[in-house]
Each structure stands twice: as C-alpha cells, then as structure tokens.
Amino acid sequence: KCYKLFKKDYPDTWQKILIKFEESTQYTEIGKTLGQWQQLFNKSAKCFTQSFASLSKAHGIEAAFIMAGSIVNQDGSLGYAYTTPRAEDFFMDCYRCNHDTLIGHFKTHIYHKSSLACLAEAFDTEKSDDKGKAKERDDIGCNSWASGKLFPWKQLPQKLGQNSLVCVNWPDGVLFPSQEQRSKPKGVSDLSILKCTQVIATIRDHRPHKLHFTLHPTKSDLVDSRKPVIIGAPPAHDSKLTKARRLFYNGKSDYKG
C-alpha cells in the first residue's frame, strides 16, 4: 500500500528517486580500511555471481563480467571475472586469454584511464562566478584539449606553449611528455604503472613541490624556446645533478632549472 501511494505522489520521478536512494547506500562504504575494502569487493563479487547464476538457471539469461579496483597502489589484489555456464570460455574464445590475463588487461586499462583523468584534472580550472575569470580561462583554451578522451602526450610541449602555460615540478626521473625511450613509442603508455603513480601523486600533493601549471606572461618566449614549457622537480638529495631538468617547445631539454 505504501509503495502504491509513493508512486501516486511521485508519478514522474519515483523510479529516479529509488535509483538515487540505492546509489546513496554505497556512500556509507567510503572511508573503509584496506581489509574492509577487500571484504566489500569480495562480498559484491559474490552477490553479482549469485544474481547472475540465478538468472541463468531460472530465466536462461547468460552473463559475463569483470571487476577490479581502480586505485593503483591499493587495489592490486582486487580482480574478479565470471561467466555463467553457457557463456563459459567466452573470454578465451573471443579474446584469447584466460580470466587472470583478462583481469590484468582490464586493470591496465583502468589505471591508464585514471592517470589520464588525473592529468586532465590538473589542467581544469575551477568554476567561478566571476565572468572575467571565466573569459580568461576560455582564452587560454585549456579545457578544449586537456579534458578530452585522449591526452595530448606527444604534443603537450606545443600545446602548453601555444596556450602560454608552463608545467612546473614534473616528477624527477619520469619521462617527459613527447620524449621517447623506445624505437616504437606508444605515447603515455610508455610510462610504467609506477611512473604513472608518481605523476598522480605529485598532482594530488599539497606540498611546495606539487605538480602545477602557471600562466606565462609572454607567449613568444615559450613558442620560440627561449623559456621552458616544462620544468622538472628538484633532483633527489642523492642525485649527481644540482639543477632540475627543463623541456622546451622545440623538444630540446637541459638541466638548468
């Protein structure tokens, strides 16, 4: 009776309300310890498995799914793949890999997307009601190229210079954008998961040497390679180098930062 009255009171939105309520229950899981997070993952995987197994048995609905955590330095052990009986060997037949290999590829894909999202976030400026500042951001044009699905790794120095931007405190020891370390470069995929983690950590850091972007007053200095578009973080205390590495618009670099 209550359910009927609820639908009567909210004839157009009752489904959306229920969906939002179901989503809100997930927020109670935020802030869990690593062990509790593992238990939640296993519990969710078991729940999905039982649901799909029941659907397969009762209604002939088959399914295949993959689960994995998206936090690089925490969720390495969280991975699960499942197929209902009639979908068995689907991954092997179609993707030529077993469940473990598939989970590995899936995690790599997730970590790659997470890294791109964090890098793009560093370029995004916060929303403001100040129209003047909003116009300035539009003039810079960051959002048009830094927030897309494909991060401009190979063209980043040129994009920075063309938009009068300087990247400051790029992690020491991490390959500079656009620079290659193999005969057949793969862009940002050349970075190992460890190196991607370093970049993400410096973006999220709140200390003085966090990775950030500044607006350079003279665009021509950047485009003509008189000033660097990327300045590396200070070398480690045990490094033989005394100054940070710098990358210029034309692709050349030095250690005079």
Side-chain angles (χ1 to χ4, degrees):
K1 185 177 180 180
C2 292
Y3 186 56
K4 290 181 179 179
L5 291 174
F6 170 72
K7 291 197 293 183
K8 183 178 179 180
D9 289 341
Y10 303 95
D12 300 324
T13 59
W14 67 271
Q15 288 180 314
K16 292 182 179 179
I17 293 173
L18 291 177
I19 291 173
K20 287 298 181 182
F21 175 77
E22 185 177 0
E23 290 176 352
S24 67
T25 60
Q26 297 300 320
Y27 292 112
T28 61
E29 305 296 341
I30 295 176
K32 297 289 187 181
T33 65
L34 189 59
Q36 291 171 330
W37 189 248
Q38 176 86 52
Q39 291 177 357
L40 174 63
F41 182 89
N42 293 337
K43 179 181 177 182
S44 300
K46 184 178 180 181
C47 180
F48 289 139
T49 299
Q50 291 175 342
S51 297
F52 284 121
S54 298
L55 286 171
S56 175
K57 186 175 181 179
H59 305 289
I61 297 175
E62 306 303 324
F65 70 88
I66 318 170
M67 294 173 59
S70 61
I71 303 177
V72 179
N73 59 349
Q74 173 180 303
D75 297 339
S77 62
L78 301 184
Y80 182 76
Y82 171 79
T83 58
T84 51
R86 292 180 184 176
E88 190 175 0
D89 295 330
F90 169 74
F91 295 128
M92 180 61 75
D93 292 343
C94 294
Y95 299 102
R96 299 293 186 269
C97 58
N98 57 26
H99 284 192
D100 290 338
T101 304
L102 186 70
I103 291 171
H105 288 312
F106 186 55
K107 286 182 178 180
T108 301
H109 178 77
I110 292 173
Y111 298 157
H112 176 66
K113 290 291 185 180
S114 297
S115 300
L116 293 181
C118 289
L119 286 171
E121 182 182 351
F123 287 91
D124 286 336
T125 49
E126 296 181 356
K127 293 182 178 180
S128 172
D129 294 332
D130 189 328
K131 294 183 179 180
K133 291 183 179 180
K135 184 178 184 301
E136 181 181 350
R137 289 197 300 272
D138 291 339
D139 291 340
I140 293 174
C142 297
N143 293 335
S144 63
W145 57 270
S147 302
K149 292 183 178 179
L150 295 177
F151 189 78
W153 176 263
K154 293 183 179 180
Q155 294 82 32
L156 185 58
Q158 288 71 40
K159 294 291 186 181
L160 291 172
Q162 291 162 7
N163 289 279
S164 302
L165 291 171
V166 178
C167 174
V168 183
N169 288 330
W170 185 261
D172 184 39
V174 177
L175 189 71
F176 269 161
S178 80
Q179 297 202 321
E180 304 171 357
Q181 63 177 8
R182 61 177 74 187
S183 57
K184 294 182 179 180
K186 296 183 179 180
V188 71
S189 298
D190 282 338
L191 293 185
S192 64
I193 292 178
L194 177 61
K195 298 300 183 182
C196 288
T197 303
Q198 286 182 248
V199 176
I200 294 171
T202 54
I203 291 174
R204 294 177 173 174
D205 197 353
H206 296 289
R207 291 174 295 181
H209 295 304
K210 69 170 292 184
L211 191 153
H212 62 280
F213 299 85
T214 61
L215 189 63
H216 196 278
T218 310
K219 177 180 176 180
S220 59
D221 284 346
L222 300 177
V223 175
D224 294 338
S225 298
R226 290 192 293 268
K227 296 291 184 179
V229 291
I230 300 179
I231 303 174
H237 69 280
D238 56 350
S239 174
K240 295 181 180 179
L241 301 172
T242 58
K243 295 185 178 181
R245 190 181 181 191
R246 306 185 302 174
L247 182 67
F248 294 83
Y249 184 93
N250 59 10
K252 294 182 179 181
S253 62
D254 63 23
Y255 289 90
K256 299 180 180 180

